[in-house]
Amino acid sequence: MSQQNIVVGVTGGIAAYKMVDVVSQLRKAGFNVHVIMTANASQFINPLTFQTISQNAVMVDQFQAPSHWDVRHISMADKADLFLIAPASANMIGKIANGIADDMLSTTVMATTAPVLIAPAMNVHMYENEIVQQNINRLKALGYQFIDPEFGRLACGYEGKGRLASNDVIVNTILEFNCLKDLQGQKVLITAGPTREHLDPVRFFSNPSTGKMGYALASQAGKRGASVTLISGPSHLPDPKDVNTVRVQTAQQMYEAVLEHECDADIIIGAAAVADYRPVQQAAQKIKKAQDELTLTLVKNPDILREIGKHKNNRILVGFAAETHEPLKYGLEKLVKKNLDLIVINNVSDSDAGFAVDTNRVVLMDVEGNEEKIELTSKQQIAIAIWDYIVKHLINKEA
Ligand SMILES: Cc1cc2nc3c(=O)[nH]c(=O)nc-3n(C[C@H](O)[C@H](O)[C@H](O)COP(=O)(O)O)c2cc1C
């Protein structure tokens, strides 16, 4: 754990002083802590206090001459295994949610790929303000995580929700957080996106999958220390950072790519929406509009997960079920039939979940009969919850 770097961003609120204890606890827990303060935060507490407690230089001004020849906000953004912003002012939440990077803290947050935890603290009416709530929801949808403020008496004299979460809650959230690289050493293989089954050079069978769920799983696994290979059908999404991405078109190509990489994998997740059938024949030339009726014969594609399930050995195998009716019943059937350890079941008839939307709501069901429901949230959050579940129920169970 001593290798872990936590960057703590402190903004201008009364609760800034509480972070002295949080930084101290994180140091004692073995983390290397780097504090960035906004200029307004330094009205509330002197940077020297954090410098002494963290035993690292405290950054406030991004244009201050660096002690080393590096660009300070970039080097700190890269160094972070986890970013904590506490207390997070309404102002800072608004800036991050709207892409404003005009000081050391907001610029570093913008440049980091580390998970960001935000602990807001403010007057109850500020917290309940619709603009603040929209900014929070926007950030949540983008994968930023929040440590909710508590209800209680506020420094401004009001009573309500807005008090910074207690120091213990903040520290425990960090200790339990996935920055602990709980997938370190694991080799993960993930399929994502749709497949395309061509009828002729310009027409194909496919489905509306965009790959978002599989890509989110891949990037989260990478952040948690796994070595990740992503086998993706056609998707407009860019290759996730630090993930070996292999692009394919058809189910057959996806199957072959999986076979090529599966021996290396400890965990295989089939998140791709693989076409069950393909045309028997693929015309070399565009099919002309000649006959009134055109009969196509389709042939079954390999069932990738089922094939792997037959010889899975010690691997953890996770599948997805996209169902339009009786999702739990069909999900359970798939879990058993394909010899999976875990199935992620979603009802794709919901307009806000499943295919081609940014959100999802799923049920996780494993071989032990455990079930966990994840309510509507961003696919990034679903990915985090799926990995949390795998680590807790499938990896650590075997330890
Ligand atoms: C005494 C005092 C207490 C404040 N407490 C808070 C607070 O708890 N939360 C908050 O969002 N803003 C608070 N503010 C307002 C912020 O300091 C202000 O919005 C500032 O622009 C935030 O800057 P920063 O986000 O760059 O730190 C407080 C202001 C004062 C004068």
Side-chain angles (χ1 to χ4, degrees):
M1 203 191 284
S2 57
Q3 303 301 314
Q4 300 285 311
N5 284 296
I6 297 198
V7 177
V8 177
V10 182
T11 72
I14 284 289
Y17 77 93
K18 294 184 177 174
M19 296 310 293
V20 175
D21 175 52
V22 170
V23 170
S24 165
Q25 287 197 48
L26 293 174
R27 281 273 314 162
K28 284 183 193 146
F31 292 103
N32 193 9
V33 185
H34 305 268
V35 177
I36 302 178
M37 298 174 72
T38 62
N40 290 324
S42 64
Q43 297 283 337
F44 292 83
I45 182 161
N46 195 308
L48 185 61
T49 309
F50 284 120
Q51 190 158 313
T52 312
I53 299 294
S54 69
Q55 296 181 13
N56 277 316
V58 171
M59 284 150 284
V60 180
D61 178 1
Q62 62 178 328
F63 296 108
Q64 190 186 324
S67 52
H68 305 288
W69 286 113
D70 54 11
V71 182
R72 283 154 53 97
H73 66 273
I74 301 294
S75 73
M76 209 33 76
D78 287 347
K79 196 176 269 186
D81 293 300
L82 176 71
F83 221 109
L84 167 71
I85 306 176
S89 62
N91 175 56
M92 184 55 66
I93 291 169
K95 286 206 287 194
I96 302 170
N98 290 285
I100 296 169
D102 65 351
D103 61 12
M104 182 69 187
L105 178 56
S106 53
T107 308
T108 313
V109 175
M110 185 80 82
T112 195
T113 58
V116 181
L117 274 174
I118 300 178
M122 62 197 72
N123 163 277
V124 56
H125 299 310
M126 283 174 89
Y127 185 67
E128 286 171 356
N129 184 304
E130 192 50 36
I131 298 170
V132 173
Q133 286 302 316
Q134 280 180 18
N135 287 334
I136 289 174
N137 289 335
R138 183 169 192 197
L139 289 171
K140 282 184 178 169
L142 292 168
Y144 291 78
Q145 302 199 45
F146 279 75
I147 306 176
D148 285 342
E150 291 177 355
F151 188 92
R153 193 166 167 74
L154 306 172
C156 54
Y158 281 92
E159 180 136 342
K161 196 171 179 185
R163 198 165 67 182
L164 183 68
S166 75
N167 295 359
D168 285 349
V169 168
I170 293 176
V171 171
N172 285 336
T173 306
I174 288 168
L175 292 178
E176 285 166 14
F177 196 71
N178 57 30
C179 81
L180 299 177
K181 304 276 185 205
D182 49 9
L183 292 172
Q184 192 92 49
Q186 300 284 346
K187 296 195 192 86
V188 172
L189 177 61
I190 297 172
T191 66
T195 61
R196 280 184 187 171
E197 312 300 329
H198 274 272
L199 185 60
D200 70 14
V202 294
R203 301 183 182 95
F204 53 80
F205 291 100
S206 193
N207 59 63
S209 167
T210 54
K212 279 181 186 154
M213 193 64 244
Y215 277 60
L217 282 162
S219 72
Q220 283 300 330
K223 283 180 187 165
R224 291 167 81 146
S227 147
V228 188
T229 297
L230 174 68
I231 298 174
S232 172
S235 168
H236 294 301
L237 300 173
D239 293 1
K241 193 170 170 268
D242 298 328
V243 167
N244 170 30
T245 305
V246 179
R247 303 254 176 190
V248 297
Q249 291 277 322
T250 66
Q252 185 62 34
Q253 289 167 354
M254 187 171 276
Y255 180 49
E256 284 162 20
V258 168
L259 289 183
E260 196 183 318
H261 291 89
E262 68 163 337
C263 324
D264 271 351
D266 304 303
I267 304 170
I268 301 179
I269 303 185
V274 183
D276 291 334
Y277 293 90
R278 66 176 182 276
V280 174
Q281 281 170 339
Q282 188 187 322
Q285 308 291 334
K286 183 180 170 191
I287 298 171
K288 292 287 179 203
K289 193 171 31 173
Q291 306 120 275
D292 283 344
E293 280 186 10
L294 182 64
T295 305
L296 297 173
T297 309
L298 303 177
V299 63
K300 234 183 188 168
N301 273 327
D303 183 334
I304 300 176
L305 274 187
R306 191 165 188 187
E307 291 306 317
I308 298 168
K310 287 180 190 164
H311 56 264
K312 76 171 184 180
N313 302 326
N314 291 330
R315 290 188 206 101
I316 292 171
L317 197 54
V318 181
F320 273 72
E323 305 294 343
T324 50
H325 64 286
E326 296 196 74
L328 295 186
K329 178 175 165 237
Y330 288 109
L332 180 62
E333 261 178 44
K334 251 186 195 174
L335 177 81
V336 175
K337 198 169 75 183
K338 300 193 180 191
N339 196 17
L340 305 177
D341 297 282
L342 172 68
I343 189 142
V344 183
I345 305 167
N346 51 34
N347 187 342
V348 285
S349 59
D350 293 346
S351 61
D352 52 3
F355 279 143
V357 286
D358 289 329
T359 50
N360 211 354
R361 78 164 65 70
V362 300
V363 175
L364 307 182
M365 198 185 269
D366 71 21
V367 271
E368 310 283 338
N370 300 314
E371 237 182 79
E372 190 172 308
K373 197 170 180 187
I374 305 170
E375 291 302 345
L376 190 71
T377 184
S378 70
K379 287 185 175 169
Q380 290 293 343
Q381 293 289 348
I382 298 268
I384 290 167
I386 292 172
W387 281 120
D388 286 346
Y389 191 97
I390 292 173
V391 169
K392 190 170 162 197
H393 294 284
L394 304 177
I395 298 177
N396 288 343
K397 182 193 82 169
E398 291 166 5

